[in-house]
Amino acid sequence: MEFRVLGPLDISDRGQSVALGPPRLRQVCAILLIRPGHLVSMEEFVDELWPQGPPEHARALVRGYLSRLRRTLRAGPSGPAASERLITRKPGYLLDAADTETDLHRFAEQVADARASALSGRPVQAVDRYRQAQRLWRGAPYADVPRTPGIAAAVLALTEQRLTAVEEQFDAELAAGGHAGVVTELTAHVASHPLRERPIGQLMLALHRSGRQADALSLFRRTRHLLAEEIGAEPGPELQSLHQRILAGDPIAGVVEDVVIDRPASIAAGPDGGRVSVPRQLAGRPATFVGRRSELARLEEMLAPCGTVVIAVIIGAGGVGKTWLALRWAHDHLDRFPDGHLHIDLRGFTSAGVPLAPAAALRTLLVALGVSPPDIPTDLAAQVGLYRSLLAGRRMLLLLDNARDVDQVRPLLPGSAGCTVIVTSRHRLTGLVVADGAQPLRLDLLLATDARQLLEDRLGAARLAAEPAAADDIVTRCARLPLALALAAARAATRPGLSLASLAGELRDVRDRLDALAGDDSATDLRAVFAVSYRALTPPSAALFRLVGLHPGSDLTGAAAASLAGVPLRDARRLLDELTGAHLLVEPAPDRFACHDLLHAYASELAAREEPPEHRSAAEARLRDHYLHSAHAAKSSIGLLDRPTSEALPGPGVTPCRFADDGAALEWFAHEHRVLVALVRSASADLDPRTGDLALAVGAYLGRSGFWHDWRSTALAALKAARGRHDPQAQARAHCWLAEVYAWIGRPDRTATHLDTAWRLYDRLEETDGLAYVHLCRGWIHEPLQHYQEALEDARRGLELYRTAGHERGQAHALNNIGWYLAQLGDYEQSITYSELALGRLRQLSDRAWEARAWCNLGFAHHRLGRHDRSARCYGNALELFRQIGDRYFEARVLDRLSETHDAMADTVSGNQARTAAREIFQDLGHPDAESTVTDTFGLYPGQRRTVVR
C-alpha cells in the first residue's frame, strides 16, 4: 500500500486509490498518519476531533469512524489484509505503514541524500536530489482534510520542511553556478514568502552574479521597507552585509564560502575542523528534593532510549516544581549523554512577559554547540537546519525550560534520533504530543508527608519535632505547593526567633497569606509567579478566574462556573479549558474544577481589586441562584419534597445543574453541602430574601445525612435573615426547622419553644397550612414522653387544617403520622388502614421519603400482629427507598427494626447482619444509637429519634 499526505490525502492499494469518504473519516485517517506506526489514544482522538468540547457519545463516535475506516481499507484489492493495517492496541489505535510506503519518508530520505551531496561538494547532484524530493509534493499537505489542532500543527511543520528544502536547493543551484537559471524560481518564491530573508539574500546574490546589480539593490530597498512596515524591524545583519558588498561592487562570483547565506553547510562539522564542543549547561542538582517517586519512575519509562527523538513534557502550575523534577531526573542520568547537555530558559512565563523568540533561543544554543556568532545564519529555517545538523548522531540531553507554546519549542527539537528532550511548561503543549510524539507528565501538589519532609530538610528535624502541630498547619496553609513551602521555610530560617506557631498564624489569615509568602524577586514571589499565568489568559478567562475567588468551596462544577460568569455552559467550558490548560484550575474529576488555597486567595484578591462592586454582587447573586435551583432539582430527584419554596425561575445567566438519577443527585449534595451552608450564611449576612429557600434546599439533606451541626447553623442563619427583613412568614418557617433540629439532637425543651413561636407567627398570619405543619411537628414533643394520644390528636388536627388549605402533600403526611400513632396505641389494623391510604397518595405524589416512612409503619404494625413475612417485606421496601434517597439515619433505624423481625422468624444470621449494619451506620454518623440496639419507641417522620433504650 501507499500512503500520501504531501498534497490531498491519498491511500492506494496495489495502485488502486481507496475512497476515504466524508471529511470526518479523512480527519481520523490523517491523525493516524501524522505518526504512522505510533499509538493514538482514544483521548487524543476525542481532543483532536472536538477541540471545543466533545459531544455526549464522543468515544462511541470515534470507534464508529475507526470501524468504518477499517471497512474502507478492506474494500481495496488486498481485502482483509489491508484492514489489518489498522491495529487496536491499548490504550488506542495505530496505522501500520512501513517507511517505504509513505511519501513523507521518501521526501525525508531524498532531502537527506541531497544534503549529504551538498556537504561533500557535489552541488549538481544535490540539486537533482532536491528536485526529486520536490516532485513528491502534489499541493499543500493534507489539502483536503479539515484542520484539527494536531493536523494544523503537522501542516505547519511539513510546510516549513518543504520551504527549507526548497531554499537549500537554491543554495546548491548557486554553488553549482546556476545563478542565471535560478532567478525566475527565486523571484516566484520570494513573492510568495516576502518576509523570509534567506531566499531574499539568495535572489540578491543570483541577480548580482547575473550582472543585475541595480535589481539586487532595489530588492533590498523593497525588503527593508516591507520589514519596517510589517514588523517594525530592519533586515538582519547578514542581509545588510550582503547589501554592502554588492554596493561596493564585490563580484562574489564563484566564492560561495564568502557569502554568509552559504556558510552553514561549510561549518556543519564544527568550527575546529570536524569536532563540536561538548556543552555542560545543566543547572545544579536540586539541593532539597523530596518525594516525586512515581513521577521520576514515569519519566524513566517515558525517556527510555529508543530509535527516535524522545520528548517528555512536564506540565503543571507555577511553583509546583517542574524544573526541580527535570533537573533531578537529568542529574540521575547524565551518563546517558556523553555528548553533553543544553539547558535554556525560554522565559515563557516571566514577570517581563516576553518569551524568548525561537531565533534568539537557537542563537544561544548554536553558540553553546561551538558556532561563532558571526557564523550563525539570520534566517530561522537556516538556523534550524544548522542546529539539527550539529545534533545529528549525538547523544545529548536538551532541557527546554519554561516554554510558552508549541511554536516556541518546535524549532528547537532535534531532527534525528539519539537526543532526549525535556520540556517544562504551565501550558499543555498538546501540539507536541499530537504531532511530535511527546509524552506529557502532569505534576500535582506534593503529598502531605513529602511536603513535611521538605520543611524538615530546610529547617531541621529538631525544629519540626518541637512544634509538630504548627509544622502540619504550615503544610496545610502552603497548600503543599513546593515554592510556597520553600518560601515559608526561608522565612523561618532567616528569622530563628520566629516560632513555627507564629509563622502558621501569619499564614492562617487568607488575606495576609500571600504577603507572608513574598520573596525577594519575581521568581520567588508567589503573587508574581501566579500573575505570570494570569496575565497570559484571554480577558474572558481572566474574568472567570477572578470570579472563582468569590466561590466559597474547594471546587465547582461547569454549571456553577457558567453561573458565576453569567455565560452559557458551552462558553464556560471553553473558558474552563483555557484555565485548566494554564494550570490555574485542575479537573480532579469530570466536571469538577478546583484550585489550591493559595491560587484561590490570589483570585479573591484579583476579584476585590479588579471587579467593580456591582459585578461582584451580580456574580454572587447568580451563584446563590444556581445553588438554590440545583439543590431543589437534586431534592426532587431523590424525593426529598418538603414544603415547597417559591416557584421563581432561575435568573438571567444562571445555569442550574441537572441530575440523571438518584446517585448523581446524592453525589452532588455530598460534594456541595458545605458550599450550600456557606452560601446560606453569606446570604443571611446580606439579608438576601433567598436565605430561607437556600436553608430549606439543603436542610433535609443535612438532617438525613447526620450533619446536624450544619443543619442547625443554616436554620439559625435563615432565622437571622428573616428577622432582619421583618418577614414573619420566613421567621415561622425557620422556627419550625430549628424545632426539628433540636428534636433530632435530643432537646425537646428547645423544640417546644420554637414550635410555640412558629404557632404564634402562623396564627397571626392566618396561614392554615403553616398551622397544620406545626400540629404535625408537635409529635416531636409528645413522643419522647410517650404521650401518643396527644400526638394522635395533633396529627388529626393537622389533617383537618391541610384539608381546609387543599394541601395534598400535607394531607398524605398527616395520614401517615396518624397511622404511626395508632400503632403506638396498639390499634394495628387501623394503623394499617391509615398507612396504606397514605402510601397510595405518597406514591401518586412521587414523595419517596414519606413513602418509605409509610412502609415502616406497615412493617411495624404487621410485626406486632405476628405477620413477620409481611413485616420483613415492608421493611425491605422502606430500606430500598431510604437508600435511594441517601437517608442514612433512617436506613439504620429500619435495619434495627428489621433485625427484630428476623429474630422473631428465628433467622438469627440475618438479624445479626442487619443489627451490625445499623450499628456501623450510627457509628459513621456519630450518633448515640451506635451503642444500643432496638428502641421501644421511635418515630419515622422527620425529626423523630430514639427515646427509650432497652
Side-chain angles (χ1 to χ4, degrees):
M1 298 188 76
E2 186 175 6
F3 302 87
R4 301 197 295 171
V5 301
L6 303 181
L9 179 60
D10 179 67
I11 299 177
S12 60
D13 183 3
R14 299 184 184 179
Q16 178 179 321
S17 184
V18 176
L20 286 173
R24 188 63 94 189
L25 202 61
R26 305 182 78 82
Q27 284 179 315
V28 170
C29 186
I31 292 168
L32 290 163
L33 279 170
I34 288 175
R35 293 189 301 125
H38 288 257
L39 201 66
V40 181
S41 70
M42 178 61 71
E43 288 72 21
E44 289 173 310
F45 274 119
V46 171
D47 289 346
E48 274 294 295
L49 295 173
W50 296 282
Q52 301 305 317
E56 184 177 356
H57 303 296
R59 297 170 74 91
L61 289 171
V62 171
R63 284 191 288 269
Y65 297 141
L66 291 162
S67 177
R68 186 169 176 183
L69 177 59
R70 189 175 276 113
R71 290 197 302 272
T72 299
L73 294 174
R74 186 182 296 127
S78 298
S83 68
E84 291 173 2
R85 297 291 191 121
L86 183 54
I87 298 171
T88 303
R89 182 180 300 162
K90 288 184 179 182
Y93 302 82
L94 62 83
L95 189 62
D96 183 15
D99 288 344
T100 55
E101 294 178 311
T102 66
D103 58 353
L104 179 57
H105 179 75
R106 292 196 297 276
F107 172 74
E109 274 191 332
Q110 290 176 5
V111 168
D113 287 347
R115 287 171 178 160
S117 297
L119 286 170
S120 62
R122 295 174 291 161
V124 175
Q125 187 175 346
V127 170
D128 181 60
R129 294 286 190 273
Y130 279 121
R131 291 194 179 278
Q132 287 181 38
Q134 293 300 331
R135 280 194 286 273
L136 292 170
W137 287 77
R138 298 167 291 113
Y142 300 101
D144 58 346
V145 181
R147 297 293 187 259
T148 67
I151 294 171
V155 168
L156 285 174
L158 289 172
T159 302
E160 181 61 34
Q161 290 177 34
R162 183 185 190 185
L163 290 174
T164 299
V166 168
E167 290 160 6
E168 288 173 357
Q169 174 193 321
F170 292 145
D171 277 343
E173 297 267 16
L174 292 169
H179 41 268
V182 83
V183 165
T184 301
E185 287 183 75
L186 266 170
T187 301
H189 186 77
V190 168
S192 299
H193 309 283
L195 297 179
R196 291 178 73 89
E197 294 192 27
R198 181 183 186 183
I200 291 168
Q202 291 169 328
L203 179 54
M204 287 173 62
L205 182 59
L207 290 168
H208 177 58
R209 287 180 176 174
S210 301
R212 300 170 59 181
Q213 183 182 22
D215 289 339
L217 296 173
S218 175
L219 173 60
F220 178 81
R221 288 193 298 273
R222 291 197 305 273
T223 299
R224 169 180 277 172
H225 176 74
L226 182 62
L227 287 171
E229 193 173 73
E230 291 291 330
I231 60 175
E234 283 288 308
E238 290 82 359
L239 206 59
Q240 294 197 43
S241 173
L242 179 61
H243 174 242
Q244 291 300 319
R245 294 177 69 180
I246 293 173
L247 275 175
D250 187 338
I252 324 176
V255 190
V256 177
E257 291 76 9
D258 289 343
V259 184
V260 171
I261 59 171
D262 291 330
R263 299 264 323 254
S266 68
I267 65 166
D272 59 353
R275 295 192 61 187
V276 291
S277 63
V278 179
R280 305 288 185 189
Q281 292 190 326
L282 207 61
R285 187 185 186 92
T288 52
F289 184 89
V290 298
R292 304 302 193 193
R293 287 170 290 279
S294 62
E295 290 88 349
L296 286 168
R298 177 66 182 131
L299 270 179
E300 177 64 16
E301 179 184 339
M302 291 162 59
L303 297 175
C306 64
T308 61
V309 176
V310 183
I311 309 169
V313 181
I314 304 174
I315 55 176
V320 81
K322 302 180 292 295
T323 303
W324 287 358
L325 177 67
L327 287 172
R328 174 58 184 265
W329 184 91
H331 278 280
D332 285 348
H333 298 85
L334 286 181
D335 57 328
R336 287 193 192 175
F337 309 107
D339 296 317
H341 33 82
L342 299 170
H343 182 178
I344 186 167
D345 181 0
L346 297 176
R347 302 202 300 265
F349 298 90
T350 62
S351 57
V354 182
L356 193 65
L362 279 166
R363 294 182 72 87
T364 300
L365 294 172
L366 286 168
V367 168
L369 289 168
V371 181
S372 61
D375 289 332
I376 297 175
T378 183
D379 180 71
L380 179 62
Q383 290 176 352
V384 172
L386 174 58
Y387 170 70
R388 290 176 177 167
S389 297
L390 293 174
L391 292 179
R394 304 182 74 185
R395 292 164 59 195
M396 294 187 67
L397 172 66
L398 283 69
L399 175 50
L400 308 178
D401 206 4
N402 200 12
R404 182 62 166 263
D405 53 38
V406 173
D407 291 338
Q408 190 187 26
V409 172
R410 186 166 281 130
L412 311 183
L413 298 179
S416 55
C419 290
T420 294
V421 183
I422 302 178
V423 185
T424 72
S425 180
R426 299 189 195 184
H427 284 166
R428 292 188 187 125
L429 306 186
T430 307
L432 290 182
V433 177
V434 174
D436 300 280
Q439 298 194 61
L441 173 63
R442 189 175 77 84
L443 203 57
D444 209 339
L445 302 171
L446 286 171
L447 299 174
T449 52
D450 293 334
R452 200 177 192 284
Q453 185 63 50
L454 191 152
L455 279 183
E456 183 176 310
D457 289 350
R458 302 232 173 180
L459 298 176
R463 194 165 178 185
L464 264 67
E467 299 182 82
D472 291 339
D473 199 12
I474 291 170
V475 167
T476 300
R477 302 303 170 187
C478 290
R480 295 180 284 116
L481 184 71
L483 177 58
L485 288 162
L487 286 166
R491 190 174 181 85
T494 55
R495 299 164 68 189
L498 179 69
S499 69
L500 295 187
S502 297
L503 177 58
E506 292 179 9
L507 297 173
R508 193 166 295 125
D509 189 337
V510 70
R511 292 169 298 181
D512 300 332
R513 195 174 305 170
L514 295 178
D515 291 332
L517 295 173
D520 297 334
D521 57 67
S522 60
T524 59
D525 184 296
L526 210 57
R527 275 196 190 90
V529 170
F530 293 161
V532 172
S533 294
Y534 169 70
R535 287 197 300 267
L537 298 172
T538 59
S541 292
L544 176 56
F545 178 68
R546 294 193 296 272
L547 294 176
V548 166
L550 303 178
H551 190 275
S554 59
D555 62 9
L556 75 168
T557 62
S563 300
L564 262 177
V567 299
L569 184 56
R570 63 180 179 277
D571 294 342
R573 284 177 173 151
R574 176 177 52 79
L575 301 179
L576 289 165
D577 186 63
E578 183 178 346
L579 290 172
T580 54
H583 289 90
L584 289 170
L585 293 180
V586 295
E587 191 175 5
D591 198 42
R592 282 273 161 194
F593 301 91
C595 60
H596 57 71
D597 288 350
L598 296 171
L599 272 173
H600 193 274
Y602 178 64
S604 299
E605 282 189 359
L606 292 173
R609 186 172 68 242
E610 299 184 19
E611 289 290 333
E614 61 273 16
H615 286 189
R616 295 198 303 271
S617 297
E620 288 169 340
R622 288 192 300 270
L623 188 67
R624 290 173 187 169
D625 215 15
H626 159 81
Y627 277 103
L628 173 62
H629 289 278
S630 298
H632 282 300
K635 285 179 64 177
S636 297
S637 175
I638 59 179
L640 295 179
L641 303 170
D642 299 305
R643 292 162 53 78
T645 61
S646 58
E647 297 297 328
L649 294 173
V654 176
T655 304
C657 291
R658 294 290 178 257
F659 305 100
D661 51 36
D662 297 343
L666 287 169
E667 184 180 358
W668 183 85
F669 265 130
H671 264 106
E672 304 289 4
H673 99 258
R674 298 198 182 281
V675 173
L676 287 161
V677 171
L679 287 173
V680 172
R681 290 170 180 163
S682 67
S684 174
D686 296 341
L687 300 183
D688 191 319
R690 288 167 295 192
T691 306
D693 285 348
L694 274 166
L696 176 60
V698 71
Y701 171 78
L702 295 174
R704 286 155 180 78
S705 301
F707 298 110
W708 295 296
H709 177 76
D710 285 340
W711 189 14
R712 175 178 173 274
S713 72
T714 58
L716 286 170
L719 180 60
K720 177 184 175 183
R723 284 172 172 167
R725 297 194 318 274
H726 306 289
D727 184 342
Q729 185 183 53
Q731 290 178 53
R733 281 201 301 168
H735 279 295
C736 286
W737 300 334
L738 283 165
E740 185 174 352
V741 174
Y742 285 120
W744 277 85
I745 62 177
R747 294 295 304 273
D749 53 334
R750 293 198 177 186
T751 296
T753 300
H754 284 290
L755 284 179
D756 288 345
T757 306
W759 173 268
R760 289 194 298 272
L761 289 166
Y762 280 133
D763 188 46
R764 191 158 59 241
L765 291 166
E766 298 182 351
E767 187 173 313
T768 305
D769 58 342
L771 291 169
Y773 183 60
V774 173
H775 272 294
L776 292 193
C777 293
R778 280 181 173 162
W780 303 331
I781 304 169
H782 299 311
E783 189 157 349
L785 302 173
Q786 300 186 33
H787 294 169
Y788 296 118
Q789 188 61 47
E790 291 88 338
L792 177 61
E793 290 169 5
D794 268 312
R796 291 189 188 279
R797 180 60 180 148
L799 177 60
E800 291 172 8
L801 291 170
Y802 274 135
R803 282 173 174 165
T804 301
H807 196 298
E808 290 292 332
R809 192 178 306 280
Q811 293 175 53
H813 293 180
L815 287 167
N816 186 72
N817 283 9
I818 291 169
W820 173 249
Y821 295 127
L822 286 168
Q824 301 311 302
L825 292 167
D827 193 346
Y828 303 120
E829 294 294 354
Q830 275 290 90
S831 171
I832 289 170
T833 299
Y834 274 92
S835 297
E836 287 181 343
L837 183 59
L839 182 63
R841 295 192 180 192
L842 292 164
R843 281 175 163 174
Q844 289 176 349
L845 293 166
S846 300
D847 192 339
R848 285 185 286 169
W850 280 76
E851 180 188 341
R853 293 174 178 82
W855 281 115
C856 284
N857 288 4
L858 291 169
F860 181 83
H862 285 303
H863 175 88
R864 290 305 176 93
L865 290 169
R867 302 166 185 165
H868 298 127
D869 285 341
R870 294 184 66 178
S871 173
R873 287 196 296 272
C874 292
Y875 281 140
N877 291 336
L879 195 60
E880 181 180 353
L881 287 167
F882 282 134
R883 284 172 173 166
Q884 286 176 9
I885 65 175
D887 195 327
R888 301 197 68 212
Y889 174 78
F890 274 120
E891 178 187 348
R893 302 295 321 136
V894 175
L895 284 166
D896 202 7
R897 279 294 177 191
L898 185 58
S899 69
E900 263 200 325
T901 303
H902 285 311
D903 289 343
M905 298 167 70
D907 186 354
T908 55
V909 173
S910 298
N912 287 332
Q913 288 174 344
R915 197 173 294 109
T916 300
R919 187 176 295 111
E920 288 174 352
I921 293 174
F922 284 138
Q923 287 171 342
D924 245 7
L925 296 175
H927 197 278
D929 285 359
E931 303 306 320
S932 63
T933 54
V934 179
T935 63
D936 282 328
T937 58
F938 73 101
L940 285 166
Y941 61 86
Q944 291 178 310
R945 62 185 294 276
R946 74 180 302 279
T947 55
V948 181
V949 181
R950 182 180 292 132

